[in-house]
Every structure is written in C-alpha cells, then in structure tokens.
Amino acid sequence: MNRLSSIRVLFVLLVLLSGFGLSGCLTLGPDFEAPVVDVPAAYRFAPDDAGQDQDLKWWELFKDPVLYELVTTALENNQDLKTALSRIEEARFSFGMTRADRFPALNLGGGGFVGNYSGTRSTFTNKNLYISPTLSWELDFWGKFKRATTAAQAQILASAYGAWAVRTSLIADVVSAYYQLLDYRQRLEMSKETLTSRQDGLDIITKRFDKGIIPKIDVNQAQIQLEVAAGAIPSYERLIAKTEHRLKLLMGSLPGAVRTVVALDKEPLPPMIPVGMPASLLARRPEIKSALALVHAANEKIGVAVAQRFPAISLTGVLGLASSEVSDITNHGGIWNLSGSLLGPLFDFNKSKFRVEVAKEQTRQALFNYQEVVLTAFKEVEDALVEVDTYRRESDASQRKVAAAENAYKLSFERYDKGVSSYLEVLDSQRTLFSAQLEYSQNRQLYFNAYVNLYKALGGGWLSKRSDAVENTALPVQ
C-alpha cells in the first residue's frame, strides 16, 4: 500500500470512528427531573388589589429621578455586579473546555536523533528525523463527557441567575440606603429646628430666672433639653456621612456627598406592587432558579461518576513523515498507525463506587439547599407583605401622633406662661414632640423600605419573560 492510500485509509477510519464516538451508545446515571415543590394557593398577607404579573420597571413606582440616577450608576459601575457577570463568562469558558473533551485532540510532534548511543548501548552511527500529527481520543461510550457537558451548561445557568440575584440585591441596597439617607437628613433638620426652638425657650426661661420669677431648676431643665437636641445633630451628621459613603461604594465611586432634592415626607408613596400568584415565584426569583440549576449540575455529575466505573475506550492515530535525511523527509518515509486501548478499574478498593455515592450525596445536598431557598423565598415575601401593611399603619399613626404632640406642646407652653402649670409639663411635651417627629421619620423610611424588601423578595421585578431572556442569553449552543 503506498503512502497516499495509507493516508486515505487512516482518514476514513477516523471519520467512521468519530461518528460512532460523537453519537455515543449509552448515557449512564439518572436523568434530571425538576423537583416538585408545594406552594400555597395565595400569599397570606397579600392585599385584595395586589394585581397579577405584568411588564413593569420597578423604579417607576417610586417616581424619583435622583433615585433613578443612583440605581443606573450602580448598575454600570458596581464591582460586585461586574464580578458576578465575569463569573458567567468564566462558566461559559469552562463549558467550552468540558465540551471539547467529547472531540478528538490533534497534536503535532516532531524530533530528531543523531549519534551512536541509544541510551543503553553503543550502536552504529545513525540519525532519524520525524514529524507527525497525533490524534488521540477517548470515545464517550458511556456518556461521561455528555453528562459533564450538561453539568457545565447548568453551571452557566446558575451563574447567570446568580448575577441576576446580585443585580436584584444591588438595586435593593441602593434604594434602601437612599431612603435611609432621606430619613437621616430629615431627622437632622428636625433636630436643628428643635435646637433653635429650645434655644429660644432657654432664652425666655433665663430672663425670667434673672428677674426672680422662676427657680433655677427650670433653667437647668431647659438646658438639658437643649443639649439633647444639640447632641442629636452630630449623631445624624455621622449617619448621613456613612450612608453617603455606602451609596458611593455601591455605585463604584470614592466616598463623597450624595445629592438629594426631595424630603422624605414629600416623597410620594408607591402603589401596591403586583405580587402575582405564589407559583410564579419559582420562575421569578433568581436565587430559586440558580439553586435549581445547581441541582441539575450535581445530578449530571452522578452520571459522570457512574461512567468512570467502566473502561475508557481510547483511540490514537499517527500520520506523519520520517526520514534519516532532512532533504528526503517530504519525499519519502510516510508513517501512519491507528491503535485503540481499553483501560478501566479492576480492583480499586471501592474507590469508584464511593465516588458515585459522593456524587449522590452532593446532589441530595443541592436538593436540600434548593428546598431551603424556596422556603426562604416564600418567607421573605410574606415578611415583606406584612411589613408593607403594618408600617403603613404605623406611619399613619406616627403622623397623627406628631400633630397631637405639636398641639400639646403649644397648649402646655401657654399654660405655663399663664402660671397654670409647671415647667415640667412643658418639658414633657417637648420631649414627646421631638420623639414623635423622629419616630415618624423613621417609620416612613421603614414603610418605603418595606416596598424595597417586597421588590427584592419577589425576584427583583415583575417581568414575566425575564427567565427565558436570561436562559437564552446565558446558554451557549452545544
């Protein structure tokens, strides 16, 4: 057989074996089935007008252009989100590496020898030159590489939904910090106004004491209340600065001031979020989708472990040129061979068996984690729903409390001014008013953040086609 005929025979054999290997014969291990999860028919604390799923940008509910700018900047520059997106690319490259194991590997080898020593004894002087592409390939007869490829693809999905979860948390953190900043700034203004009011009151009390109308204790009590308001100012200044720094970090910027234009009590309350049906949470919450993808990946690895208990079928083909003279290497000395090997465990003290059991237990752990993520998701939705309802009522009560406290303070000072009551009544009404104002600001902030928590618990938005979009974007073609 001449050299050309040998090359053709080798090529035909490799093509035929390639088709056989790529198609495979068996796929060992259990096929993945999505676990069945019991979900409630309705949320316990969902309002009657909660609405259904709809395409909606969540930040439009808050109607704050400054907040929109902060969130947009954070989505562009946040380092944690960039890292999460990079993990998707890492998973895609890992998928490519794993998928490549299903195909032949072609390597190029070459070398030369000249001399009269072969490594063990002296010989006649000789020389030999060769160059040969070498094809090596382990046939996926048991479906090991197919399972591994599917597992890698599931890892891509897990990374994609993990990035979506990071994005959801990022937006929630920005909005939450923003409303905390508005709260602290409003409480700072309340403290400054209270300080001014108490300074005016202290001036009046001091003049009356100088005239001998009132005792010294009234002056001391007024001074105490003045310093309470004065001490609150640096406290809120510190909280404001730290919250600004937190926002800047979320936006991927160095520490600095954050602009706000609307006071917290002027912020419009958002309408009720369309929570939809509980069953839709399984498809909408990225943490759930990510955990499910990890269960799928772990399940496929069982098949990989099972396949490793069986012999590996490998093929090796060499097609090249060899000659004792450089000038003749392209004209003479065509070489080729095709060989196969079978290598499998014969006795390994049950190592292969234990490998399968390890994979099974890891799959069970992934399943338990998935179930825990589902339970946690429903718990967080219910918590957020009850927060929205109760903080709304607390905020309304706090607002009425402030109005009553303002009137009580006005009346108590008039009574004191007329000598009807002692200054202790004025001091008590002052404390009550200041406390009520701070409480109202905090409750209103908590009410806004209850919406943020609900947004996060529902999966970061209400886009019914989001899951399909993530999958189509993340998954490569096999």
Side-chain angles (χ1 to χ4, degrees):
M1 182 181 293
N2 59 33
R3 184 177 63 185
L4 182 59
S5 298
S6 301
I7 294 174
R8 288 174 177 174
V9 170
L10 179 60
F11 178 77
V12 171
L13 287 174
L14 291 176
V15 170
L16 291 175
L17 290 171
S18 298
F20 171 78
L22 288 176
S23 61
C25 291
L26 298 174
T27 303
L28 302 178
D31 292 331
F32 174 70
E33 294 183 3
V36 178
V37 180
D38 292 331
V39 297
Y43 291 112
R44 181 184 177 194
F45 294 100
D48 296 334
D49 59 346
Q52 301 299 319
D53 293 356
Q54 55 181 297
D55 292 335
L56 178 67
K57 291 182 178 179
W58 71 271
W59 50 82
E60 292 181 351
L61 294 175
F62 296 93
K63 298 179 180 179
D64 189 325
V66 174
L67 178 59
Y68 181 91
E69 180 182 349
L70 294 176
V71 171
T72 302
T73 303
L75 291 176
E76 292 175 353
N77 300 326
N78 182 264
Q79 302 303 314
D80 288 338
L81 182 56
K82 290 181 179 179
T83 300
L85 294 174
S86 177
R87 290 196 183 103
I88 300 177
E89 296 305 311
E90 178 188 355
R92 290 172 67 92
F93 294 137
S94 296
F95 167 83
M97 292 169 55
T98 303
R99 183 172 179 265
D101 290 334
R102 300 176 63 181
F103 302 94
L106 184 63
N107 300 303
L108 181 64
F113 170 82
V114 62
N116 63 355
Y117 180 67
S118 63
T120 57
R121 61 188 177 84
S122 176
T123 66
F124 294 106
T125 302
N126 64 82
K127 56 184 176 180
N128 189 38
L129 302 171
Y130 72 92
I131 181 170
S132 62
T134 302
L135 184 146
S136 58
W137 186 22
E138 180 181 340
L139 298 180
D140 196 17
F141 191 81
W142 312 110
K144 177 175 64 177
F145 298 134
K146 181 180 180 181
R147 290 290 192 190
T149 301
T150 304
Q153 192 176 42
Q155 287 288 159
I156 297 176
L157 265 185
S159 298
Y161 283 111
W164 190 274
V166 172
R167 180 181 184 274
T168 300
S169 296
L170 173 61
I171 297 174
D173 289 344
V174 171
V175 180
S176 176
Y178 176 72
Y179 284 121
Q180 284 183 337
L181 179 61
L182 293 183
D183 174 27
Y184 294 145
R185 284 185 172 170
Q186 182 164 278
R187 287 198 244 179
L188 176 62
E189 291 304 314
M190 290 175 175
S191 299
K192 289 180 177 179
E193 291 173 0
T194 300
L195 178 62
T196 300
S197 174
R198 291 182 179 180
Q199 182 63 61
D200 293 341
L202 177 61
D203 292 342
I204 296 174
I205 295 298
T206 301
K207 290 178 181 178
R208 291 186 176 186
F209 170 74
D210 292 340
K211 294 179 181 181
I213 301 175
I214 60 173
K216 179 68 173 180
I217 191 172
D218 287 0
V219 178
N220 295 145
Q221 292 288 356
Q223 290 173 335
I224 291 173
Q225 295 306 308
L226 174 72
E227 297 306 328
V228 169
I233 291 175
S235 173
Y236 290 122
E237 288 176 341
R238 178 173 62 252
L239 291 172
I240 287 171
K242 294 177 69 174
T243 305
E244 288 177 327
H245 300 165
R246 180 187 172 199
L247 274 169
K248 284 292 187 178
L249 177 62
L250 292 172
M251 293 187 292
S253 304
L254 292 172
V258 175
R259 177 181 66 95
T260 58
V261 295
V262 181
L264 182 61
D265 60 349
K266 302 300 181 183
E267 282 279 335
L269 293 174
M272 186 58 202
I273 291 173
V275 297
M277 299 301 294
S280 65
L281 187 66
L282 300 179
R284 211 163 46 180
R285 178 94 177 222
E287 291 91 341
I288 295 178
K289 299 286 284 185
S290 179
L292 181 60
L294 291 177
V295 176
H296 189 181
N299 183 84
E300 296 300 320
K301 291 177 182 178
I302 296 177
V304 175
V306 172
Q308 288 176 331
R309 300 189 66 183
F310 294 86
I313 303 174
S314 300
L315 301 176
T316 303
V318 176
L319 178 65
L321 301 168
S323 176
S324 60
E325 297 293 339
V326 176
S327 60
D328 293 337
I329 196 169
T330 58
N331 299 319
H332 303 87
I335 59 172
W336 72 275
N337 69 57
L338 178 65
S339 62
S341 65
L342 186 148
L343 179 64
L346 181 61
F347 183 73
D348 59 0
F349 295 94
N350 289 327
K351 178 179 179 180
S352 299
K353 178 182 178 181
F354 291 145
R355 184 186 294 116
V356 174
E357 296 304 317
V358 168
K360 288 181 178 179
E361 290 303 318
Q362 290 175 340
T363 302
R364 292 184 62 197
Q365 294 165 21
L367 179 59
F368 294 150
N369 177 69
Y370 170 73
Q371 293 169 339
E372 180 68 17
V373 169
V374 171
L375 293 175
T376 301
F378 279 103
K379 179 258 184 187
E380 290 176 352
V381 172
E382 294 288 7
D383 285 350
L385 285 170
V386 75
E387 284 179 355
V388 169
D389 177 54
T390 54
Y391 280 131
R392 175 185 58 79
R393 287 184 282 156
E394 282 189 55
S395 180
D396 292 343
S398 296
Q399 190 173 21
R400 295 191 296 268
K401 183 178 180 180
V402 169
E406 287 176 344
N407 190 58
Y409 171 66
K410 178 181 178 182
L411 293 176
S412 64
F413 193 83
E414 290 177 355
R415 284 164 53 83
Y416 172 73
D417 192 47
K418 295 176 181 179
V420 177
S421 63
S422 68
Y423 193 65
L424 291 177
E425 182 179 294
V426 176
L427 294 175
D428 184 64
S429 62
Q430 278 184 339
R431 286 193 295 266
T432 301
L433 175 58
F434 188 41
S435 175
Q437 289 173 331
L438 299 179
E439 179 185 299
Y440 168 66
S441 181
Q442 182 181 32
N443 283 339
R444 190 170 178 84
Q445 174 258 122
L446 292 172
Y447 180 33
F448 274 95
N449 274 324
Y451 277 94
V452 178
N453 293 336
L454 182 57
Y455 146 77
K456 181 179 179 181
L458 289 172
W462 307 271
L463 298 175
S464 57
K465 298 180 180 179
R466 188 199 63 206
S467 297
D468 293 338
V470 171
E471 292 180 3
N472 292 336
T473 301
L475 290 183
V477 179
Q478 291 198 53

